Amino acid sequence: MPADEANPEQRQKPRPQPEALADVSSFLQPGDVVNESGRVTWKTFYYWVPYQGIRGNQKRIFGKQSIWHDTHCMLYLDPEHTLSVEPPRARWLHPEDYCRGRISIWRFNKFPVPFAPGQVEVMKRHADEYLIGKIYDVGQLLDILINTILGYPNVLHYRFFDFSKKLKVCSVGVRVLYEKLRQHLEATGQPAFGRLFQKINPLGDRRSLRG
């Protein structure tokens, strides 16, 4: 993506709901990750500071040529279940809830996709039991930003506000479901993919950032 298109202000304005929903729904497959670049309005002015922090942190880690402006990520499983770990609590969304947003859709390419119905069910059950309804972990987000300031942008070297492993931020919620599926596949003797994001080296080959 050219550098100027990485700026969220350069993205097209939202299209009518029916047209946007039809396009997004026709493309989505179970297991797709949906990234969104959040907008701030006068009604949601309180998001301005965390959005700036998230974008600044991602730009430092992944570089100015990356898509650093995204502020939220979700996991699509089926038309009734898109995991969104968001304030105040994690919940299921539908494509109509985000189809007119500034979104990009990413597809895992190291395992046969779309995921089979049984694989999707594993992820849905785990989300219902451990994620849906849980409070969004603002503390973990603060720790990510603080560790970046202290010079540890890729790991949580210090934990000041991350009070509970049961609470998640959006990207961690997505990874949790992928990890649960990986563990299930291995435990049942099925072909599985490797653990995601075991190593991220933003100063090295950009290919190392792909999950």
PDB file of all heavy atoms in Angstrom, residues 93-106:
ATOM      1  N   LEU A  93     -20.535  -9.459  17.200  1.00  0.00           N
ATOM      2  CA  LEU A  93     -21.091  -8.513  16.240  1.00  0.00           C
ATOM      3  C   LEU A  93     -21.523  -9.255  14.981  1.00  0.00           C
ATOM      4  O   LEU A  93     -21.217 -10.438  14.798  1.00  0.00           O
ATOM      5  CB  LEU A  93     -20.047  -7.453  15.868  1.00  0.00           C
ATOM      6  CG  LEU A  93     -19.532  -6.537  16.971  1.00  0.00           C
ATOM      7  CD1 LEU A  93     -18.548  -5.528  16.385  1.00  0.00           C
ATOM      8  CD2 LEU A  93     -20.665  -5.819  17.685  1.00  0.00           C
ATOM      9  N   HIS A  94     -22.242  -8.544  14.106  1.00  0.00           N
ATOM     10  CA  HIS A  94     -22.625  -9.041  12.801  1.00  0.00           C
ATOM     11  C   HIS A  94     -21.978  -8.145  11.744  1.00  0.00           C
ATOM     12  O   HIS A  94     -21.665  -6.989  12.021  1.00  0.00           O
ATOM     13  CB  HIS A  94     -24.148  -9.025  12.635  1.00  0.00           C
ATOM     14  CG  HIS A  94     -24.892  -9.722  13.733  1.00  0.00           C
ATOM     15  ND1 HIS A  94     -25.493  -9.048  14.778  1.00  0.00           N
ATOM     16  CD2 HIS A  94     -25.111 -11.033  13.955  1.00  0.00           C
ATOM     17  CE1 HIS A  94     -26.054  -9.923  15.596  1.00  0.00           C
ATOM     18  NE2 HIS A  94     -25.839 -11.141  15.125  1.00  0.00           N
ATOM     19  N   PRO A  95     -21.786  -8.625  10.531  1.00  0.00           N
ATOM     20  CA  PRO A  95     -21.172  -7.788   9.498  1.00  0.00           C
ATOM     21  C   PRO A  95     -21.858  -6.439   9.309  1.00  0.00           C
ATOM     22  O   PRO A  95     -21.196  -5.441   8.997  1.00  0.00           O
ATOM     23  CB  PRO A  95     -21.271  -8.652   8.238  1.00  0.00           C
ATOM     24  CG  PRO A  95     -21.223 -10.053   8.760  1.00  0.00           C
ATOM     25  CD  PRO A  95     -21.999 -10.012  10.046  1.00  0.00           C
ATOM     26  N   GLU A  96     -23.178  -6.379   9.497  1.00  0.00           N
ATOM     27  CA  GLU A  96     -23.862  -5.097   9.341  1.00  0.00           C
ATOM     28  C   GLU A  96     -23.436  -4.072  10.382  1.00  0.00           C
ATOM     29  O   GLU A  96     -23.641  -2.859  10.195  1.00  0.00           O
ATOM     30  CB  GLU A  96     -25.387  -5.269   9.390  1.00  0.00           C
ATOM     31  CG  GLU A  96     -25.918  -6.005  10.603  1.00  0.00           C
ATOM     32  CD  GLU A  96     -26.142  -7.473  10.313  1.00  0.00           C
ATOM     33  OE1 GLU A  96     -25.335  -8.086   9.577  1.00  0.00           O
ATOM     34  OE2 GLU A  96     -27.125  -8.024  10.854  1.00  0.00           O
ATOM     35  N   ASP A  97     -22.830  -4.536  11.479  1.00  0.00           N
ATOM     36  CA  ASP A  97     -22.371  -3.619  12.516  1.00  0.00           C
ATOM     37  C   ASP A  97     -21.100  -2.871  12.121  1.00  0.00           C
ATOM     38  O   ASP A  97     -20.815  -1.806  12.670  1.00  0.00           O
ATOM     39  CB  ASP A  97     -22.112  -4.370  13.830  1.00  0.00           C
ATOM     40  CG  ASP A  97     -23.368  -4.985  14.408  1.00  0.00           C
ATOM     41  OD1 ASP A  97     -24.425  -4.323  14.351  1.00  0.00           O
ATOM     42  OD2 ASP A  97     -23.304  -6.123  14.900  1.00  0.00           O
ATOM     43  N   TYR A  98     -20.321  -3.428  11.196  1.00  0.00           N
ATOM     44  CA  TYR A  98     -19.032  -2.798  10.870  1.00  0.00           C
ATOM     45  C   TYR A  98     -18.769  -2.642   9.375  1.00  0.00           C
ATOM     46  O   TYR A  98     -17.729  -2.131   8.980  1.00  0.00           O
ATOM     47  CB  TYR A  98     -17.882  -3.594  11.491  1.00  0.00           C
ATOM     48  CG  TYR A  98     -17.877  -5.077  11.187  1.00  0.00           C
ATOM     49  CD1 TYR A  98     -17.365  -5.568   9.990  1.00  0.00           C
ATOM     50  CD2 TYR A  98     -18.376  -6.007  12.103  1.00  0.00           C
ATOM     51  CE1 TYR A  98     -17.357  -6.929   9.717  1.00  0.00           C
ATOM     52  CE2 TYR A  98     -18.379  -7.367  11.828  1.00  0.00           C
ATOM     53  CZ  TYR A  98     -17.867  -7.824  10.641  1.00  0.00           C
ATOM     54  OH  TYR A  98     -17.852  -9.170  10.363  1.00  0.00           O
ATOM     55  N   CYS A  99     -19.716  -3.037   8.524  1.00  0.00           N
ATOM     56  CA  CYS A  99     -19.452  -3.043   7.079  1.00  0.00           C
ATOM     57  C   CYS A  99     -19.214  -1.652   6.516  1.00  0.00           C
ATOM     58  O   CYS A  99     -18.555  -1.511   5.477  1.00  0.00           O
ATOM     59  CB  CYS A  99     -20.587  -3.747   6.331  1.00  0.00           C
ATOM     60  SG  CYS A  99     -22.187  -2.900   6.442  1.00  0.00           S
ATOM     61  N   ARG A 100     -19.733  -0.617   7.158  1.00  0.00           N
ATOM     62  CA  ARG A 100     -19.541   0.747   6.660  1.00  0.00           C
ATOM     63  C   ARG A 100     -18.372   1.449   7.342  1.00  0.00           C
ATOM     64  O   ARG A 100     -18.110   2.630   7.083  1.00  0.00           O
ATOM     65  CB  ARG A 100     -20.824   1.576   6.838  1.00  0.00           C
ATOM     66  CG  ARG A 100     -22.009   1.032   6.069  1.00  0.00           C
ATOM     67  CD  ARG A 100     -23.222   1.924   6.174  1.00  0.00           C
ATOM     68  NE  ARG A 100     -23.096   3.127   5.362  1.00  0.00           N
ATOM     69  CZ  ARG A 100     -23.127   4.354   5.838  1.00  0.00           C
ATOM     70  NH1 ARG A 100     -23.256   4.556   7.148  1.00  0.00           N
ATOM     71  NH2 ARG A 100     -23.031   5.402   5.028  1.00  0.00           N
ATOM     72  N   GLY A 101     -17.671   0.740   8.199  1.00  0.00           N
ATOM     73  CA  GLY A 101     -16.497   1.311   8.839  1.00  0.00           C
ATOM     74  C   GLY A 101     -15.288   1.288   7.918  1.00  0.00           C
ATOM     75  O   GLY A 101     -15.314   0.718   6.826  1.00  0.00           O
ATOM     76  N   ARG A 102     -14.209   1.890   8.360  1.00  0.00           N
ATOM     77  CA  ARG A 102     -12.951   1.874   7.600  1.00  0.00           C
ATOM     78  C   ARG A 102     -12.229   0.580   7.965  1.00  0.00           C
ATOM     79  O   ARG A 102     -11.448   0.526   8.910  1.00  0.00           O
ATOM     80  CB  ARG A 102     -12.111   3.108   7.938  1.00  0.00           C
ATOM     81  CG  ARG A 102     -12.796   4.409   7.547  1.00  0.00           C
ATOM     82  CD  ARG A 102     -11.935   5.611   7.776  1.00  0.00           C
ATOM     83  NE  ARG A 102     -11.681   5.859   9.195  1.00  0.00           N
ATOM     84  CZ  ARG A 102     -11.132   6.969   9.675  1.00  0.00           C
ATOM     85  NH1 ARG A 102     -10.759   7.926   8.853  1.00  0.00           N
ATOM     86  NH2 ARG A 102     -10.934   7.118  10.967  1.00  0.00           N
ATOM     87  N   ILE A 103     -12.534  -0.469   7.225  1.00  0.00           N
ATOM     88  CA  ILE A 103     -12.054  -1.802   7.582  1.00  0.00           C
ATOM     89  C   ILE A 103     -11.152  -2.382   6.506  1.00  0.00           C
ATOM     90  O   ILE A 103     -11.170  -1.975   5.348  1.00  0.00           O
ATOM     91  CB  ILE A 103     -13.223  -2.780   7.839  1.00  0.00           C
ATOM     92  CG1 ILE A 103     -14.050  -2.986   6.559  1.00  0.00           C
ATOM     93  CG2 ILE A 103     -14.089  -2.293   8.991  1.00  0.00           C
ATOM     94  CD1 ILE A 103     -15.101  -4.074   6.683  1.00  0.00           C
ATOM     95  N   SER A 104     -10.340  -3.334   6.925  1.00  0.00           N
ATOM     96  CA  SER A 104      -9.572  -4.184   6.017  1.00  0.00           C
ATOM     97  C   SER A 104      -9.721  -5.613   6.515  1.00  0.00           C
ATOM     98  O   SER A 104      -9.871  -5.852   7.716  1.00  0.00           O
ATOM     99  CB  SER A 104      -8.098  -3.773   5.964  1.00  0.00           C
ATOM    100  OG  SER A 104      -7.515  -3.803   7.257  1.00  0.00           O
ATOM    101  N   ILE A 105      -9.702  -6.570   5.590  1.00  0.00           N
ATOM    102  CA  ILE A 105      -9.932  -7.981   5.931  1.00  0.00           C
ATOM    103  C   ILE A 105      -8.674  -8.771   5.609  1.00  0.00           C
ATOM    104  O   ILE A 105      -8.134  -8.671   4.498  1.00  0.00           O
ATOM    105  CB  ILE A 105     -11.139  -8.543   5.168  1.00  0.00           C
ATOM    106  CG1 ILE A 105     -12.414  -7.774   5.565  1.00  0.00           C
ATOM    107  CG2 ILE A 105     -11.316 -10.035   5.458  1.00  0.00           C
ATOM    108  CD1 ILE A 105     -13.627  -8.125   4.729  1.00  0.00           C
ATOM    109  N   TRP A 106      -8.211  -9.555   6.585  1.00  0.00           N
ATOM    110  CA  TRP A 106      -6.961 -10.303   6.465  1.00  0.00           C
ATOM    111  C   TRP A 106      -7.251 -11.789   6.624  1.00  0.00           C
ATOM    112  O   TRP A 106      -8.018 -12.193   7.502  1.00  0.00           O
ATOM    113  CB  TRP A 106      -5.968  -9.833   7.532  1.00  0.00           C
ATOM    114  CG  TRP A 106      -5.671  -8.371   7.419  1.00  0.00           C
ATOM    115  CD1 TRP A 106      -6.409  -7.329   7.933  1.00  0.00           C
ATOM    116  CD2 TRP A 106      -4.582  -7.765   6.729  1.00  0.00           C
ATOM    117  NE1 TRP A 106      -5.854  -6.122   7.619  1.00  0.00           N
ATOM    118  CE2 TRP A 106      -4.716  -6.363   6.874  1.00  0.00           C
ATOM    119  CE3 TRP A 106      -3.503  -8.264   6.007  1.00  0.00           C
ATOM    120  CZ2 TRP A 106      -3.817  -5.464   6.317  1.00  0.00           C
ATOM    121  CZ3 TRP A 106      -2.605  -7.364   5.463  1.00  0.00           C
ATOM    122  CH2 TRP A 106      -2.759  -5.991   5.613  1.00  0.00           C
TER     123      TRP A 106
END
